Amino acid sequence: MKADIVIKSIDNLITLKGPNRARKGNEMKEIGLIKNGILATKEDKIIYVGEGELPPEIEITEETIVIDGKGKTITPGLVDSHTHLVHGGSRENELAMKLKGAKYLDILEVGGGIHSTMKATRKASFDELYEKAKKSLDVMLSFGVTTVEAKSGYGIEDFDTEIKQMEVAKKLNDEHHVDVVSTFMGAHAIPIEYKDEPRKFIDIIINEMIPEVAERQLAKFCDVFCEKGVFSIEESKEILEAGIKHGLLPKIHADEIEPLGGAELAAQIGCVSADHLVAASEKGIEMMAEKGILANLLPGTSFNLQSGKYAPARKMIERGVAVALSTDYNPGSCPTENMQLIMSFASLLLKMTPEEVITAVTINGAASLKLEDKIGSLEVGKKADIVVFDAPNLEYIIYHFGINHTDRVIKNGKQAFVNSRT
């Protein structure tokens, strides 16, 4: 077999070899590290992972791209499994309000926050949204991200805008190196015009929006912002169960600000993941562990909101909850595409070990998108999604924070990004 790409003499080859499922507890420390590693790809698949030299049945030809891994750390492509990628505008004008102590719900109450992004997204053309999101995907790729989840939710009552967001995500998935997985999140906020009659809006989501999204196959998941002043436990349950009925897998923004019981609800209805979880209760964490619900934590959001409160990652891991990490890239509460910075935040602020962090952003991120059988680890037969880090070891990537350590990114067996400094 002729190899298309070979990476040889790898100082630290982090394979994440193991079961194709979310890793939990001590499993999150088992990263499948190989010293003096070698890896080969053919077309869009990995054909060999091991130590030392290639076996004789794999041939290096003049056409083979050979990369020297000396001094490098190689990992699976990073998975950013919670973003609000497609949106119009930005919200830097809210910075002064935050510095004066305004909280997220305070800004929302005066028509800021998501409501201003809704207006900007509704106003933006398809091409404008596409170019803005493509620019962000380019940045994400440069930081080693090869798969991204993208939520709608900035059209809300204007269903045409929701559709536009998901169609932009679909086109990006077709045309960009990075794979984009769509989530329908019409239940992102109660529109101002339905503030006194939220039931009417919920009925629209359930009876009109969800069926059409499912019929047009515009999304894989359905998400809801279960939070005080947004959607209650009962309303969230009703919306997610409607999504399940139409084949949309459930996710939930849970217990981000108030301990409302979102973690418990995630366990009750079998969500693929519960996200945020800053205020998750002891009972909620126990129920998630018991039911195998993945916790998707977003430390960049807590950092940017200056809340001083972070999801209890250590407690979750010790209780047997599988943990993923994501940027939550969005124009308001976390305007960053830098997954490497999130990895550093997870270590410094959530007290996760480097091994737990890399597990969270690879195989567990893949599991959060139900793609663990295709991506998330470097094993024969899986997609050739690979990051070459210009770093002597995993710890260095996290320790030396705030810069881009990416040397190059291989996506679907092709070099999708090469750092200009190399």
Side-chain angles (χ1 to χ4, degrees):
M1 186 182 294
K2 297 178 181 179
D4 291 335
I5 297 176
V6 171
I7 311 176
K8 64 176 186 176
S9 306
I10 303 167
D11 276 7
N12 291 276
L13 174 56
I14 297 172
T15 68
L16 275 298
K17 181 179 180 181
N20 284 332
R21 58 167 172 77
R23 315 286 170 80
K24 59 185 180 180
N26 287 330
E27 292 177 338
M28 291 188 67
K29 297 179 181 178
E30 298 168 4
I31 60 173
L33 177 63
I34 299 174
K35 296 285 188 177
N36 187 31
I38 191 164
L39 181 151
T41 74
K42 177 70 174 177
E43 297 177 348
D44 65 342
K45 296 291 193 299
I46 296 169
I47 58 172
Y48 185 78
V49 180
E51 181 182 357
E53 303 294 329
L54 289 175
E57 62 267 23
I58 297 179
E59 181 183 358
I60 295 178
T61 70
E62 290 183 357
E63 289 76 33
T64 303
I65 297 171
V66 180
I67 299 167
D68 186 2
K70 191 68 178 173
K72 304 293 194 295
T73 297
I74 312 297
T75 76
L78 308 184
V79 181
D80 194 347
S81 55
H82 181 131
T83 84
H84 301 260
L85 175 69
V86 182
H87 62 265
S90 59
R91 294 190 344 228
E92 67 273 16
N93 60 302
E94 294 175 6
L95 178 60
M97 297 172 67
K98 292 176 183 176
L99 292 175
K100 292 178 181 178
K103 304 300 182 185
Y104 178 85
L105 295 179
D106 298 331
I107 296 171
L108 192 67
E109 184 68 23
V110 296
I114 188 174
H115 296 301
S116 64
T117 300
M118 285 168 52
K119 294 176 184 176
T121 306
R122 192 180 307 171
K123 183 179 179 181
S125 69
F126 182 97
D127 289 344
E128 288 170 336
L129 291 177
Y130 179 90
E131 290 301 323
K132 181 176 175 60
K134 179 181 179 296
K135 184 177 180 180
S136 287
L137 274 185
D138 290 343
V139 174
M140 291 173 170
L141 176 65
S142 76
F143 281 107
V145 172
T146 53
T147 303
V148 166
E149 182 257 19
K151 302 180 189 295
S152 71
Y154 291 128
I156 309 185
E157 87 282 1
D158 179 20
F159 193 34
D160 288 343
T161 301
E162 288 288 300
I163 294 293
K164 181 170 62 174
Q165 282 187 267
M166 289 179 282
E167 287 181 336
V168 167
K170 184 176 181 179
K171 185 178 181 183
L172 286 166
N173 181 58
D174 291 340
E175 298 181 353
H176 200 279
H177 286 296
V178 175
D179 289 332
V180 180
V181 181
S182 280
T183 295
F184 170 61
M185 198 176 177
H188 200 181
I190 300 292
I192 293 173
E193 48 264 56
Y194 290 98
K195 186 176 180 181
D196 297 326
E197 298 179 298
R199 182 69 243 173
K200 286 187 177 180
F201 180 58
I202 293 165
D203 287 341
I204 291 171
I205 293 174
I206 291 171
N207 299 321
E208 299 178 27
M209 294 185 178
I210 287 176
E212 185 168 344
V213 170
E215 183 180 354
R216 295 175 62 171
Q217 298 183 326
L218 288 173
K220 182 175 183 176
F221 300 97
C222 180
D223 200 343
V224 59
F225 190 6
C226 181
E227 185 58 66
K228 181 180 178 182
V230 193
F231 293 93
S232 69
I233 291 292
E234 294 75 18
E235 292 165 346
S236 299
K237 183 174 186 287
E238 190 176 358
I239 291 166
L240 292 177
E241 287 182 339
I244 293 169
K245 179 182 176 182
H246 288 276
L248 300 179
L249 301 175
K251 286 179 171 285
I252 184 170
H253 281 54
D255 304 321
E256 178 181 0
I257 302 167
E258 300 286 342
L260 202 65
E264 291 90 329
L265 177 61
Q268 288 168 8
I269 66 176
C271 286
V272 176
S273 71
D275 300 26
H276 285 291
L277 298 168
V278 175
S281 69
E282 292 275 353
K283 181 182 178 182
I285 293 171
E286 290 174 4
M287 289 179 66
M288 286 180 62
E290 181 182 345
K291 297 295 185 180
I293 309 302
L294 192 147
N296 201 348
L297 309 185
L298 314 167
T301 304
S302 293
F303 174 83
N304 188 56
L305 292 176
Q306 305 176 70
S307 66
K309 299 176 182 178
Y310 293 87
R314 285 259 50 90
K315 181 185 294 184
M316 292 176 180
I317 293 170
E318 290 162 6
R319 299 283 175 83
V321 177
V323 170
L325 294 163
S326 300
T327 61
D328 191 21
Y329 169 63
N330 73 81
S333 60
C334 198
T336 184
E337 299 97 332
N338 187 344
M339 179 63 98
Q340 291 178 39
L341 183 61
I342 300 305
M343 292 165 66
S344 294
F345 284 167
S347 185
L348 296 171
L349 302 172
L350 304 188
K351 309 305 179 184
M352 293 173 65
T353 69
E355 293 80 10
E356 291 166 343
V357 168
I358 197 63
T359 299
V361 298
T362 54
I363 189 65
N364 282 9
S368 178
L369 298 180
K370 302 297 285 183
L371 294 172
E372 62 271 28
D373 59 334
K374 296 180 176 66
I375 61 172
S377 62
L378 301 178
E379 300 182 79
V380 173
K382 282 200 168 183
K383 289 177 69 170
D385 290 2
I386 304 159
V387 187
V388 180
F389 287 107
D390 186 14
N393 49 58
L394 173 61
E395 290 82 359
Y396 188 83
I397 297 169
I398 293 171
Y399 143 84
H400 191 173
F401 69 93
I403 70 159
N404 190 356
H405 294 280
T406 307
D407 178 86
R408 68 189 69 209
V409 180
I410 296 164
K411 174 63 183 173
N412 288 325
K414 297 179 180 179
Q415 293 198 83
F417 172 80
V418 179
N419 198 311
S420 60
R421 69 170 181 260
T422 62

